[in-house]
Amino acid sequence: IHSLLGNMSNNISQFKENFGQFSTIEQEKIGIGANLFAQIQMILEKSQFQDEIKSAATILQADCEGYFQRNTEKKWQSLVEHQAAFTNTMAEWGERSADNAYMKKTFDEMNAEFIKIQPSLDQYRQQVEVQTQITAGMDQAKSAVTQDLDTIRDISFDKMARVRKLSGWFIFGAVLVAAGIGLMAAFFSIMTIVRPIKSVAFELKDIAEGEGDLTRRLDVAGQDETGTLANNFNLFIQRIQSLIQQVSD
């Protein structure tokens, strides 16, 4: 798990670095887009009654807005086609205005802005491609982190299952030990309490069924209740024996 956490830390750091690069490029794209729209707007202002140029510039502006909002290949191809059509329109107006000083001056001003459009588009396109590569790296880092998290989760669940299993065996063992201790306690209770009582009962029966031998005594094996019982019985027999002797004398 420690190595997985290390990999996750590296991938998260890589993701943060890529995200920072992505954000920087996004700001650069915004600047490129602003310059591009300014160039198109300048052409629209200069086009005046030149409807073909105004129409081509308006279409290109709309294509740029669409591509800037969503950088799909389809939108880029549409933008390239309309940029090519705009180039042809500008070339035609350049030929028409060659003999008119006023129109030529206006065209030159528009063309000065127009020739900046293609490099701006190419630069924007390059930034989009770089962002695509960065996004792929971010996706890879994100996938690696997710995979590591899944692996850590599986390892944790496996360890938890082992702990639960060991806990079950531990509890089962504890129950067995407790049961064994209980049986041993019962056995010793029988040995220390029941057995002496049976022994005293057997000797009493033997004395009662015998020939009335008052010289016999019970064995006093301890200081517990059974020993006290045997000792008191011996004292009782001894007194009876003494009385009988006195009567006989």
Side-chain angles (χ1 to χ4, degrees), residues 139-180:
D139 291 340
Q140 183 177 359
K142 179 181 177 182
S143 177
V145 170
T146 301
Q147 185 176 358
D148 289 340
L149 284 173
D150 291 340
T151 303
I152 291 174
R153 180 198 60 192
D154 294 339
I155 293 175
S156 300
F157 284 168
D158 181 66
K159 289 185 178 295
M160 290 174 63
R162 291 183 182 182
V163 169
R164 285 196 296 268
K165 185 176 180 180
L166 290 175
S167 299
W169 281 109
F170 178 78
I171 294 173
F172 179 72
V175 171
L176 289 180
V177 171

Side-chain angles (χ1 to χ4, degrees), residues 32 114-124:
I32 296 171
F114 177 77
I115 60 177
K116 300 176 184 178
I117 292 178
Q118 189 61 51
S120 296
L121 289 174
D122 293 339
Q123 186 180 6
Y124 192 94

Side-chain angles (χ1 to χ4, degrees), residues 100-112:
N100 188 305
Y102 175 76
M103 291 181 60
K104 187 175 186 310
K105 179 177 180 297
T106 302
F107 174 79
D108 290 341
E109 291 175 352
M110 289 190 297
N111 192 55

Side-chain angles (χ1 to χ4, degrees), residues 186-202 224 226:
F187 176 76
F188 282 116
S189 295
I190 293 173
M191 293 296 294
T192 57
I193 298 175
V194 178
R195 186 175 179 181
I197 293 176
K198 286 185 177 181
S199 177
V200 171
F202 177 78
D224 56 2
T226 305

Side-chain angles (χ1 to χ4, degrees), residues 26-84:
E26 188 66 24
Q27 293 299 320
E28 293 176 356
K29 284 170 56 182
I30 292 174
I32 296 171
N35 291 334
L36 187 58
F37 283 127
Q39 293 157 6
I40 295 175
Q41 188 63 34
M42 182 66 71
I43 294 174
L44 287 172
E45 293 175 357
K46 295 290 184 180
S47 62
Q48 297 179 357
F49 301 106
Q50 300 169 11
D51 294 336
E52 293 87 346
I53 294 178
K54 184 179 295 185
S55 177
T58 301
I59 294 173
L60 182 64
Q61 186 179 40
D63 279 348
C64 288
E65 291 175 351
Y67 182 67
F68 292 170
Q69 291 175 2
R70 190 174 181 184
N71 308 138
T72 64
E73 188 63 25
K74 182 178 180 180
K75 290 182 179 296
W76 173 253
Q77 291 302 325
S78 175
L79 194 155
V80 170
E81 292 175 2
H82 289 136
Q83 169 64 2

Side-chain angles (χ1 to χ4, degrees), residues 5 12 15 25 43 77 83-84 98 103 113 132 141 160 162 175 177 186 193 218 228 240 249:
L5 291 175
I12 291 174
F15 184 91
I25 293 176
I43 294 174
Q77 291 302 325
Q83 169 64 2
M103 291 181 60
E113 299 298 326
T132 300
M160 290 174 63
R162 291 183 182 182
V175 171
V177 171
I193 298 175
L218 296 177
T228 302
I240 293 176
D249 293 341

